[in-house]
Amino acid sequence: MEVLYNNLYTHFVFTTKDRLLSIEECHRDRIEKYITGIVNNHGCKMYKIYANPEHVHFLVSRDPALSEKALADLIANASEIFINNNNLCKDKFYWQASCSAFSVSKNDIGKVCRYIKNQPIHHKKQTFAEEYDIFVKFYQQTLLPKK
């Protein structure tokens, strides 16, 4: 059945293999634009993206024909090839074998976009490990049944 309208907003977090500081500031914009192109070329829309040295946050609305896994695989595979073919890292670049995908309500799009945009400020106060731990605890709490 064809889906005429969808509300599938996903906040992805990709981490570099072994959380190495692989993404240099001088190449951040180019990597963000490339990932945005992958998203847009697969019937999805990029709302906001920010590439930190060891992880990338991005918020997209997905085409219902693509699962989170399918979209994540497309982005990870193509961006690894792009980064390596263009020598955008000192060593061979890889993403972790897994990523995180958090569903976002339409009402929270602005809040998540601001959060992603403010990554440089945010990470002056908190490490990625601390940030990720808070994300996981928040989403587990909201998904667990209330006692």
Side-chain angles (χ1 to χ4, degrees):
M1 175 178 291
E2 183 178 359
V3 176
L4 296 177
Y5 181 77
N6 72 75
N7 250 349
L8 304 172
Y9 303 101
T10 307
H11 176 184
F12 286 95
V13 182
F14 283 24
T15 54
T16 60
K17 185 170 173 119
D18 299 325
R19 294 188 180 170
L20 295 175
L21 303 176
S22 300
I23 300 172
E24 296 179 51
E25 179 61 28
C26 62
H27 299 301
R28 182 178 60 79
D29 187 55
R30 193 166 174 200
I31 292 167
E32 290 173 356
K33 285 179 180 175
Y34 190 79
I35 292 172
T36 298
I38 297 166
V39 168
N40 293 340
N41 288 332
H42 285 89
C44 303
K45 179 182 176 188
M46 179 70 77
Y47 279 82
K48 188 55 79 179
I49 182 169
Y50 194 89
N52 292 286
E54 81 279 40
H55 70 288
V56 176
H57 287 265
F58 55 99
L59 175 64
V60 301
S61 62
R62 288 186 299 103
D63 180 325
L66 283 175
S67 67
E68 282 98 350
K69 181 183 178 344
L71 182 58
D73 285 344
L74 285 167
I75 293 167
N77 294 333
S79 63
E80 270 185 12
I81 292 167
F82 173 78
I83 291 167
N84 287 318
N85 285 349
N86 288 280
N87 299 312
L88 301 182
C89 288
K90 291 176 184 157
D91 298 313
K92 187 89 168 155
F93 180 83
Y94 297 101
W95 294 112
Q96 291 277 44
S98 61
C99 71
S100 297
F102 303 99
S103 63
V104 174
S105 73
K106 189 171 187 170
N107 293 340
D108 288 333
I109 290 173
K111 182 170 83 174
V112 174
C113 285
R114 282 188 299 279
Y115 178 80
I116 293 170
K117 177 184 173 188
N118 290 323
Q119 283 291 291
I121 296 164
H122 177 75
H123 284 295
K124 286 181 181 176
K125 303 174 196 169
Q126 189 176 63
T127 68
F128 172 64
E130 292 166 334
E131 172 189 49
Y132 190 75
D133 192 43
I134 290 167
F135 263 45
V136 170
K137 286 177 183 172
F138 172 78
Y139 281 100
Q140 285 177 342
Q141 285 176 346
T142 59
L143 296 175
L144 294 174
K146 305 256 188 233
K147 291 183 180 181

